[in-house]
Amino acid sequence: MSENKVTSNFIKNIVAEDLKSGQYKEIITRFPPEPNGYLHIGHAKSIVLNFGLADEFNGRTNLRFDDTNPIKEDTEYVKSIKEDVKWLGYDWDELHFASNYFDEMYKHAVLLIKKGKAYVCDLSAEEIREYRGTLTKPGKESPYRNRTVDENLELFEKMKNGEYKDGEKVLRAKIDVKSPNINMRDPIIYRIAHAYHQNTKDKWCIYPMYDFAHPLEDAIEGVTHSICTLEFEDHRPLYDWIVRECEMKKVPKQIEFARLNITNTVMSKRKLKKLVDEKFVDGWDDPRMPTIAGLRRRGFTPGSIRNFCRAIGVAKASSVVDSQMLDYFLRDDLEKKAPRTMAVLRPLKVVITNYPDGKIENFEVENNPDDPTAGTRNVPFSKELYIEQEDFMENPPKKYYRLFIGNEVRLKSAYFIKCNEVVKDESGNIVELHCTYDPESRGGNSPDGRKVRGTIHWVNVETAIPAEIRLYQPLIVEDGEDGSDSFLDNVNPNSLEILNGFLEPNMKDVKSGQKYQFFRHGYFSADPKYTKEGKLVFNRIVSLKSSFKIKK
Ligand code: ATP
Ligand code: MG
């Protein structure tokens, strides 16, 4: 697939160089999510990069669940992650669970102990932190650092056999407590957690730490380029140390890139889980969520997400991408594909007083003016129609070209109508407009050259299909990203607006996830959750216009 090409970036150059020099014969990448939440658009960036690279260089990509922390993980997440990767259009070569390597990892830990490169430490978590020192203060050696190999082997085995409580002991790599890199100051590589694991069940009560497990997972699978986000840059010396000291035959290379951040978007599973758990949203797949499941339910297409991920590029420097850029790629994708239709979101009834009672005309309208192969549909027209409330004004400002008393507009693809009278209820609300039509303007064409500046859309009352229309605003007003939970204060209380509108009659059998361009309103998609229940709900994916321009 040529579409899968990643735009030129520094990682691609490294890979090309490594193949040329013969350092690696074939490239193997991996996408290694922890199954502790649903994937989000940030993960999509990593997926597109990893799969795209392998694809371009005829390599392979594994999906590996980095399930070394039993407490937060769940099989629900495993299932959703597989589904989302597939939906994005990617197929992994091998499927792995890091937990399947627990036996092997244990052996490597024993090897480190035997080489005098790891020891069991009895300091508490707090003491370890204190002993570790800071950026300006060197660390201190643990009093347990010089235990004999035999003693360490015995204690580690007892840890494995469940003879100690959580936190009572840990296994640490013996590296250098005075290293300028804090990650090298005897990092913890195994901890005790008497916890049920979604894959290994109750087999283990000790679990490897990420910094120990990840390089081993990569090396075991023969991954050549282990691509991760920038916060692991300072962990790279430890990554290399583990691979070397564990005497792994295959040596992977860690490369870091900047994680994706998007304006008005929180993008960490921990935060997203909070939004779900505290019911700010209707689950992980709420259409306002930046999760793949949420974007899918909202109506985003896999192609628009892939194109977005390729366009943002891959760099070493962190930056924040404008959320409108994703919208741009959705419009770009759907412009040619989505059929047009008319939908009235906030209805106002129009009665055409000079139109014959009981008469129905059918207008044949193109489904997509940009695509003649999309065909046509019949749009019925009669005496009573719905138009948008905002397409009429009693006291219009200058340059308002839609309906007001005495003004004429074009009803899209139908007739010119002129407004003559406003009907109000007792409290003064407008309930109906009385208009007359010009039979000579059939098809929306001027009969005598007279100009009509406004064109508005409409739906025939008698055949209208009622539907719920959901409009969205950003879920997060602004994101502090300071790591605290203060982002909950920035949740937009008006992120969802539910309207009861009307659709053309041919919309009664829409299928889940079907996408349309609603004339003047934007792109909409039938919400799968409600379609399943037989209820017609459309999500606005994006509006039609934006000031955002992509730099070419
Ligand atoms: P989170 O903080 O959202 O839980 P994570 O990095 O802990 O993210 P993992 O499940 O460990 O999530 O990530 C799987 C892969 O996706 C990793 O290689 C990680 O680097 C990458 N990734 C996660 N978030 C982003 C992001 N915002 N941009 C780019 N890549 C990301
Ligand atoms: Mg994580």
Side-chain angles (χ1 to χ4, degrees), residues 436-496:
T436 44
Y437 84 118
D438 176 358
E440 300 301 314
S441 63
R442 195 174 195 282
N445 302 311
S446 183
D448 53 7
R450 77 178 184 274
K451 281 215 174 71
V452 159
R453 298 191 71 160
T455 299
I456 65 174
H457 61 275
W458 52 275
V459 170
N460 182 45
V461 169
E462 203 187 321
T463 51
I465 307 284
E468 191 174 293
I469 314 281
R470 297 181 167 218
L471 305 184
Y472 300 99
Q473 297 296 327
L475 182 58
I476 303 293
V477 190
E478 59 185 280
D479 180 25
E481 277 295 355
D482 56 1
S484 72
D485 287 336
S486 66
F487 76 97
L488 291 176
D489 300 337
N490 294 331
V491 174
N492 179 1
N494 305 312
S495 57
L496 168 64

Side-chain angles (χ1 to χ4, degrees), residues 52-68:
L53 274 172
D55 203 67
E56 194 170 344
F57 292 99
N58 288 316
R60 291 181 281 150
T61 306
N62 297 342
L63 173 62
R64 181 208 307 146
F65 288 99
D66 210 341
D67 56 349
T68 54

Side-chain angles (χ1 to χ4, degrees), residues 359-375:
K359 179 175 171 178
I360 285 210
E361 279 182 87
N362 277 300
F363 288 99
E364 190 182 352
V365 180
E366 280 175 305
N367 284 329
N368 187 346
D370 295 341
D371 175 12
T373 65

